[in-house]
Amino acid sequence: MMKRVIPFLCVFMYFMSPYRLAGHELPEVVGILATILAIFGGFRLHLEKSYVLFLAYMWIVPPIAGFVCGIPGNYLQALIPVALILSTLYLGLLLPDANKNYVLKYYRYLVYIAVAFFIVQEISYNTTGIRPTLYIPFLEMYYQGSDEMSFALSRAEMDRSSSFFLEPSHFVQYIIPYFCIVLSNYIKEKKGLKEVLLMLFVIIWLKAGIGFVSLLVIFCFFFLKSGILKMYQRILVMFATIIIIVGFITTVYKDSELISYIMNRSSEFSMEVDPYGAQSGFIRIWRGYFIYGAMDIINQILGVSAAGMEAVSKAVYIPGCRYDGSYMNGIQALLVSGGVVGLILFFNYIIHIYKQKDNTGQCILIVMIAIFFMEHMLNTPKMFLYILLASCFNIPSLQKTKK
């Protein structure tokens, strides 16, 4: 029973991202449940040495550096960093022993359930003007102060569907690893073209900036991995092709609805703050670097820990920016909380596991890092999902050696 339940919970965690339970994010609750079942199921804790080094550093050094430098914060809470501990349990208990065949099987089922509902939403909205939603009514919604009815109504009136998720970008992040899997399988075996095209169509139709960037990263990855030309020639061809395609599309098809929408969304990558317009792009992609740049040099090197992130965030004033909280993307969170040292140690861990994967697993990890530059992903069930799925594609010779 555990052999099936735990893999399902592992890929189901992020599916529950729209909800809270008693004030706690439901993916974390599902993750804790999976961890408890794993302990009772006889799973043993196993952590890569490179991760242990990252864990020890993040738990000890940044809190001391922040406290000694006088950064305000609750350093008693820093003694029990919940997100770091949960992420460690996922990676140490669930990742090594979860049955990878069931992980891929259940993940595929959930992807297709989400995609099928997305298609139903789009067909309904484009034919009747009504977008059905299926949020669970007796659970708290992720956004505080929002109940299921009001949230479902707001999503029904949006111009883009998001399936069972909070928003289109969350949905696309859930299915991107599956696109890596089916595309890699098609490249290797020349099978499953229809599935590749279906997933490509859904990702493009979602019109999420993260989806477009992820597709670009995926295609560049597989082109660079191909045996065509020499490496430096592949790099030159890749950049030239990107420039030509972007130039062609934005000139010849600039009046089409989809291309116009994409070009308008590209403004989110601007470093300039629009005091009266949308600021989500600036906040997600750029704001954290301004905060990091304003920190003392010792904290830039060693970090301020999670306990000091809110204080250093509020200490920086960016003219026109209407948000002063501690939200940052994954890279910025590493830099601010762990400093340059924490960033290096984290990438040392990712590089270590990257070397153990085949092209499919490596592609998933590369896309994860790309998303780190745009979304909060550090020590979350979403990060665990990507690393878990990548771990299903170890290099066969390494698997035999470990056995």
Side-chain angles (χ1 to χ4, degrees), residues 140-194:
E140 304 169 36
M141 300 308 295
Y142 176 83
Y143 297 123
Q144 295 181 354
S146 173
D147 57 25
E148 181 273 336
M149 184 176 295
S150 61
F151 187 81
L153 181 62
S154 69
R155 288 300 174 264
E157 295 175 344
M158 288 181 67
D159 61 343
R160 295 182 295 157
S161 301
S162 52
S163 189
F164 299 100
F165 295 82
L166 275 173
E167 52 190 66
S169 66
H170 291 195
F171 175 35
V172 81
Q173 288 173 70
Y174 189 78
I175 65 175
I176 276 290
Y178 191 71
F179 180 71
C180 296
I181 294 170
V182 296
L183 179 60
S184 179
N185 184 62
Y186 174 73
I187 291 172
K188 286 186 290 188
E189 301 182 8
K190 298 297 183 289
K191 296 179 181 179
L193 179 59
K194 291 181 180 178

Side-chain angles (χ1 to χ4, degrees), residues 323-341:
Y323 175 75
D324 64 353
S326 58
Y327 177 90
M328 298 178 199
N329 66 39
I331 297 296
Q332 295 162 0
L334 277 167
L335 282 170
V336 174
S337 66
V340 173
V341 177

Side-chain angles (χ1 to χ4, degrees), residues 53-64:
L53 186 60
F54 168 73
L55 171 66
Y57 172 83
M58 293 296 289
W59 203 330
I60 298 171
V61 178
I64 293 175

Side-chain angles (χ1 to χ4, degrees), residues 341-361:
V341 177
L343 181 73
I344 292 172
L345 291 177
F346 178 79
F347 273 92
N348 179 55
Y349 165 64
I350 295 299
I351 291 170
H352 176 77
I353 60 176
Y354 178 90
K355 292 177 179 178
Q356 302 172 6
K357 313 305 170 193
D358 66 8
N359 283 354
T360 308

